[in-house]
Amino acid sequence: MAYGPSSVLGAVLRNKQAEAVVRKYAPHLDKEIESVQMRYGTLTQVTTMLQGVRTDPAARDALYAELATLEEPDDEAASPRDEEIFLAADYESEDVPSGSARLVAASHGTLWRTFELELHGPAHGNPFTDVTLRAEFRNGDRSVTAHGFYDGEGVYRVRFLPDAEGEWSFRTTSNARSLDSVIGTFHCGPAGPGDHGPVRVHARAHFQHADGTRFLPLGTTLYAWTHQGAELEKQTLATLAGSPFNKVRMCVFPKWFVHNETEPPRYPFAGSVEEGWDFQRPNPAYFQHLEQQIAQLDALGIQADLILLHPYDRWGFSTMSPAEDDRYLRYVVARLAAYPNVWWSLANEYDLLWSKSTDDWHRIAAVIGDHDPHGHLISVHNWVELWDNDADWVTHASIQRTPDGTREWRERWGKPVAVDELGYEGDIEWGWGNLAPQEMVRRCWEGVVRGGYVTHGECFLAEDDVLWWAKGGVLKGESTPRLEFLRTIMEDIPSDAAGIDPLPSDFDVPVGGVEGRYYLAYCGIMQPRLRTFHLPQGSRFRADIIDTWNMTITELPDLYEGTCTVSLPGRPYLAIRLRAVEGR
C-alpha cells in the first residue's frame, strides 16, 4: 500500500526515501517535531502545523503525490515497553518484624490541611515500583484510603487531607513487612484561617469549597513557571500575590515550545537528555520542588490547575507507554492529592497528543479517580476538537475557544464551563498571542456574563525571552487591572447566589446574573446611547453604568421597573447592572 494522508509520520520517517520527500516540503521538520510531538500523528494532522505545507495546498498535494509513488511496508511498531510490573508479595524477608519502620507523624492536625505519615523503611531493588503502600484513615464509622509513595533515601510518605474534626486512626498496608501494619492516631482540630478545603462543583455550573465557601475562578496561564530557577520563580510568586488571579494553569512536566526553549534545572525521571530516561524511577527532587510551589500558591489563596500531560515535549514524556503513564500518574496523584488547592487537567490540548486514543484518556481518568481519595476537580483541555464532557468523571469543561459558546456548553453538558484559553494579550507573531488588551478584557467579560469562568494569559516579546504565559516573571499588559475590576463585579453578586447564570438575552447583548434580582448586560464593542430592559413587574431596580475599560461605576439616580429604557453614554466596553431594591 502506498503512503498517503492517513500514514503516520513516525512510520513515514522510518523509510529513508519517504523521509526525504517529507523533508523536501517541510525543511524545518526537525525543529517543528521537537517542539510538538508529531510522530504519532497522521500526515493529515501534521501538515496543518508544518511550515511549507501548512498554508500551501499545492505543496501539500505535491507531497502526497510523491509519497503515493512509494510503498509503505507492513507496520513494525515497537513492542510495548515493560507493560506491567508484577509485585512480589514479600518485598522483605520474614525475619523483618511487621510494622517496624520508624514512623514520624504529628499528634495533631487541622481540618483541610495536609497530614503526613513519614516512614523510614527499606531501599533495596527499586522501591518506586517494587513496594506498594497505602493507609486507611478512620474517623468513627468512616474510612478513607490514601496511597503512599517513595520519596528517596529510604523514606516513604502517605499524605491525607482530613475532612472532619475529631480523632482519626490510621493503619498501613504494604508488601514490605516493615511498612505493613504501622498504626497510630491523631486529633484533627478546626480549620485555620483561610482553609476552606478543596474546590467542588456547586449548583450544577458553579464552584464552592468543601466548607461551602463560594469560589469564583479568575485564572491565569503559567505553563512552565516551576521550571525557571529560584529567582524567576520567586518573582512570579510576588507578581501573583499582587494580582487578581485565584487559579493558575500549569504543567507538571517541563515544556519545549516557542519562547520556551531552555532546559529545565531538573527532570521528572532518573536519566539524562543524552542517555534517556528511566520511567520506572521518578526523581524525588523534581516533585519535591513542584509540591513546594503548589504550597506557595495555596498560601496565596490560588488553585493549581495541574496539567498532567502535554504535547510540547522534546524529552519523550508525552509518548510514554500506557504502563509508564499509569505509573507516573499513580505517583503524582499519591504525592499531590492531599494538597487542598489541586485540580487535575489530564492534558493541555489533548487532541495534539496523537500517541493517545480516546480510550487512553478514559483509562488515565480512571487511574486518577482510583488513587485520589479527596475527589479533586478533573477536566480535559482541547486544541481543536472539544472533549466530550458528558463523561461521568469530568467535573467541568476546560475550553480553548472564544467565549461566545459558553451558554451553549453549559446547557450541553450541565457542568461548569472554564474558558481556559480564549487568547492571550501580547505582541508575538501568532494570532493566539497578540490580542490587544481591550479584546482580552472583552472576551473575559463575555465569558463571565454568559455564565462561565475565564483564564487570562500574556505574551509580550522581551529581550530576555521571559513571557508570562510560559515562564512567569512580571505582568506587563493593560488587561490585568481591568480583570481585577471584573473580579470585584463577579464578587458583588448577591451573597447567597452560586454565581452568574446566563439570563434571557437579545441577540446582540448577553445578559447574566440572578433571575429577578440581579442583571448584568455587556455591550462589548458596541456603543449604544440607550438600552431597553424588560424587568419583573412588582420590583424596582437601581441601575449602574459600568465602564469596563476605564473601571468606573456610575449609579443612575432613577429607579427602574417593568419595561424601561436606560440612557447610556454611547461608547464601547460598557456594562449595565440592575439590582433589585428591597421593599417598595
Side-chain angles (χ1 to χ4, degrees), residues 92 140 180 190 268 527 535 560 581:
E92 292 179 297
D180 188 54
Q527 46 187 14
L535 302 173
Y560 298 84
V581 177

Side-chain angles (χ1 to χ4, degrees), residues 71-141:
E71 286 295 312
E72 184 170 7
D74 293 337
D75 185 25
E76 298 178 357
S79 59
R81 298 189 296 245
D82 64 67
E83 280 310 324
E84 196 49 74
I85 294 172
F86 296 95
L87 296 164
D90 51 352
Y91 174 73
E92 292 179 297
S93 62
E94 291 185 0
D95 60 347
V96 175
S98 180
S100 58
R102 181 165 66 90
L103 169 68
V104 179
S107 60
H108 288 76
T110 59
L111 191 65
W112 305 127
R113 186 53 49 191
T114 306
F115 181 83
E116 180 177 278
L117 309 181
E118 179 183 301
L119 296 159
H120 293 253
H124 60 275
N126 182 4
F128 293 105
T129 58
D130 296 344
V131 177
T132 62
L133 175 64
R134 63 183 184 274
E136 181 183 30
F137 292 83
R138 298 191 65 88
N139 174 253
D141 294 333

Side-chain angles (χ1 to χ4, degrees), residues 377-563:
L377 298 172
I378 185 167
S379 67
V380 187
H381 173 268
N382 66 287
W383 178 47
V384 173
E385 184 177 350
L386 295 179
W387 179 258
D388 179 7
N389 292 295
D390 275 328
D392 291 342
W393 50 265
V394 175
T395 58
H396 65 286
S398 176
I399 303 291
Q400 178 175 184
R401 291 276 175 86
T402 56
D404 312 60
T406 301
R407 180 172 187 162
E408 174 199 338
W409 300 324
R410 277 182 41 137
E411 293 172 353
R412 183 193 310 180
W413 296 310
K415 297 176 181 180
V417 171
V419 189
D420 277 323
E421 192 169 345
L422 45 68
Y424 304 135
E425 180 186 3
D427 57 11
I428 63 173
E429 177 181 357
W430 296 277
W432 49 263
N434 56 28
L435 296 183
Q438 294 87 347
E439 177 61 10
M440 183 77 199
V441 174
R442 186 197 70 79
R443 293 186 186 190
C444 288
W445 269 86
E446 284 269 351
V448 167
V449 171
R450 293 179 186 274
Y453 297 95
V454 295
T455 298
H456 153 278
E458 187 182 281
C459 295
F460 283 100
L461 290 170
E463 290 186 6
D464 60 5
D465 211 31
V466 175
L467 281 66
W468 175 263
W469 131 96
K471 299 179 181 179
V474 297
L475 286 160
K476 304 171 183 176
E478 297 180 70
S479 67
T480 298
R482 277 87 185 174
L483 297 182
E484 184 168 11
F485 180 70
L486 170 58
R487 182 172 169 179
T488 67
I489 301 297
M490 294 169 64
E491 293 173 344
D492 198 35
I493 62 175
S495 59
D496 60 344
I500 293 173
D501 288 316
L503 298 176
S505 308
D506 292 326
F507 74 95
D508 55 342
V509 174
V511 179
V514 182
E515 184 67 58
R517 302 165 57 196
Y518 180 101
Y519 298 87
L520 189 63
Y522 180 58
C523 298
I525 61 172
M526 295 177 290
Q527 46 187 14
R529 292 290 300 274
L530 50 88
R531 189 76 192 179
T532 298
F533 294 91
H534 305 283
L535 302 173
Q537 294 291 337
S539 297
R540 296 184 298 169
F541 289 78
R542 292 196 178 279
D544 297 320
I545 307 303
I546 301 172
D547 187 321
T548 67
W549 181 254
N550 292 308
M551 298 178 285
T552 61
I553 301 174
T554 303
E555 182 177 326
L556 301 183
D558 299 327
L559 294 178
Y560 298 84
E561 58 184 317
T563 298

Side-chain angles (χ1 to χ4, degrees), residues 51-298:
Q51 293 184 47
V53 295
R54 181 177 63 221
T55 58
D56 188 345
R60 188 160 55 248
D61 291 344
L63 167 65
Y64 291 153
E66 286 197 41
L67 286 174
T69 66
L70 303 174
E71 286 295 312
E72 184 170 7
D74 293 337
D75 185 25
E76 298 178 357
S79 59
R81 298 189 296 245
D82 64 67
E83 280 310 324
E84 196 49 74
I85 294 172
F86 296 95
L87 296 164
D90 51 352
Y91 174 73
E92 292 179 297
S93 62
E94 291 185 0
D95 60 347
V96 175
S98 180
S100 58
R102 181 165 66 90
L103 169 68
V104 179
S107 60
H108 288 76
T110 59
L111 191 65
W112 305 127
R113 186 53 49 191
T114 306
F115 181 83
E116 180 177 278
L117 309 181
E118 179 183 301
L119 296 159
H120 293 253
H124 60 275
N126 182 4
F128 293 105
T129 58
D130 296 344
V131 177
T132 62
L133 175 64
R134 63 183 184 274
E136 181 183 30
F137 292 83
R138 298 191 65 88
N139 174 253
D141 294 333
R142 292 183 60 244
S143 70
V144 180
T145 297
H147 292 264
F149 62 94
Y150 184 59
D151 204 22
E153 304 295 328
V155 175
Y156 299 78
R157 303 186 192 278
V158 183
R159 290 173 175 160
F160 174 63
L161 190 64
D163 60 359
E165 296 181 46
E167 297 299 317
W168 287 86
S169 64
F170 57 83
R171 183 184 188 93
T172 65
T173 301
S174 177
N175 66 336
R177 290 177 59 80
S178 63
L179 300 172
D180 188 54
S181 299
V182 177
I183 61 174
T185 62
F186 72 96
H187 179 81
C188 180
D195 288 344
H196 301 295
V199 174
R200 313 290 195 208
V201 172
H202 175 60
R204 184 175 176 266
H206 300 290
F207 300 99
Q208 68 176 18
H209 288 277
D211 71 351
T213 302
R214 185 170 67 188
F215 182 70
L216 305 173
L218 181 62
T220 192
T221 307
L222 284 166
Y223 286 131
W225 80 276
T226 62
H227 310 294
Q228 305 306 320
E231 183 177 349
L232 186 52
E233 291 170 25
K234 182 178 179 181
Q235 184 181 55
T236 301
L237 287 166
T239 301
L240 286 170
S243 81
F245 305 117
N246 58 9
K247 181 173 84 79
V248 165
R249 293 189 69 233
M250 54 187 282
C251 298
V252 173
F253 286 144
K255 182 176 181 179
W256 189 270
F257 192 53
V258 292
H259 303 296
N260 197 163
E261 295 178 340
T262 53
E263 292 293 334
R266 56 189 71 82
Y267 297 94
F269 299 100
S272 67
V273 175
E274 296 76 21
E275 298 181 6
W277 309 104
D278 184 349
F279 294 125
Q280 295 184 22
R281 291 183 180 271
N283 175 11
Y286 181 93
F287 291 97
Q288 290 162 6
H289 175 74
L290 174 65
E291 65 200 19
Q292 288 165 5
Q293 302 303 60
I294 292 171
Q296 293 276 5
L297 293 177
D298 185 45

